Each structure stands twice: as structure tokens, then as C-alpha cells.
């Protein structure tokens, strides 16, 4: 299992564009209905910091996400937006959960 947390801060004017791009990823993932991908994104209280929390059954499933057209659009526009704080990626290890995971 691979667990990824990414957080970054956008400029205020980019927030609605980023939200729309993230909605596009979710729409494409729902249509794909891939059993090895769990994806979520939250907006922090400052209204411009995003946190993505993604869980993958394996590395190949992570590559499925990053190969989506919607993800490529999101990624390109995010980097071109002039971020206030660049993305920080953390790879997490599961200790315990009430949710059922793979394996």
C-alpha cells in the first residue's frame, strides 16, 4: 500500500480554478472506478491551502492517477499559477484504521 499526503498554498485568485481542476480529477476517477485508488482533497481554514490524501493499493495504481488527463491539467496549471507555498509530499505508513484497506 502507498499513502501520499500533499499540501501546498495557492494564491487566493487561483483557489476556484484549483477546486475545479480537483473536481475534474474526482469525476474522472469516479468514472474509472478503480478499486486500488482512494483520493480526497481538503481546503484548510485559510481558504487557500489544499491537502490531498491519496491511498493506493500499489505503485502502479499511483501511476494510474498521475496519467489521467485531468491530473495532468491540474498539475500543469498548479505549477504555472505562482504558488505561495510549493507542494510538500509526505509518504505515510499506516499504523491503524477503522477503514478496510488492501492486503
Amino acid at each position: 500500500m502507498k499513502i501520499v499526503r500533499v499540501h501546498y498554498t495557492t494564491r487566493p485568485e487561483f483557489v476556484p480554478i484549483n477546486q475545479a481542476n480537483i473536481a475534474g480529477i474526482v469525476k474522472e476517477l469516479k468514472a474509472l472506478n478503480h478499486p486500488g485508488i482512494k483520493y480526497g482533497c481538503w481546503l484548510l481554514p485559510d481558504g487557500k491551502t489544499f491537502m490531498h490524501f491519496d491511498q493506493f493499493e500499489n505503485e502502479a495504481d499511483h501511476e494510474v492517477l498521475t496519467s489521467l488527463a485531468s491530473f495532468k491539467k491540474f498539475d500543469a496549471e498548479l505549477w504555472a499559477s505562482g504558488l505561495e507555498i510549493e507542494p510538500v509530499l509526505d509518504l505515510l505508513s499506516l499504523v491503524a484504521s477503522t477503514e478496510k484497506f488492501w492486503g
Side-chain angles (χ1 to χ4, degrees), residues 22-85:
I22 292 164
I25 293 170
V26 169
K27 181 179 179 180
E28 194 169 358
L29 283 172
K30 284 183 176 182
L32 186 62
N33 195 29
H34 192 294
I37 300 173
K38 295 181 181 187
Y39 175 89
C41 183
W42 291 261
L43 185 61
L44 276 62
D46 68 2
K48 59 184 181 174
T49 299
F50 291 82
M51 185 194 75
H52 299 251
F53 187 68
D54 311 325
Q55 301 149 353
F56 307 97
E57 188 172 8
N58 52 51
E59 180 59 35
D61 294 334
H62 188 193
E63 292 170 10
V64 169
L65 170 68
T66 59
S67 71
L68 297 175
S70 58
F71 184 88
K72 289 177 182 179
K73 179 182 186 299
F74 154 79
D75 190 53
E77 291 184 7
L78 181 68
W79 283 107
S81 71
L83 292 162
E84 287 187 9
I85 300 175

Side-chain angles (χ1 to χ4, degrees), residues 71-103:
F71 184 88
K72 289 177 182 179
K73 179 182 186 299
F74 154 79
D75 190 53
E77 291 184 7
L78 181 68
W79 283 107
S81 71
L83 292 162
E84 287 187 9
I85 300 175
E86 291 192 359
V88 175
L89 184 142
D90 297 311
L91 297 176
L92 307 177
S93 298
L94 180 65
V95 174
S97 176
T98 59
E99 187 171 349
K100 182 178 171 132
F101 291 95
W102 311 275

Side-chain angles (χ1 to χ4, degrees), residues 13-26:
E13 61 274 11
F14 187 71
V15 169
I17 297 164
N18 201 48
Q19 289 175 319
N21 287 341
I22 292 164
I25 293 170
V26 169

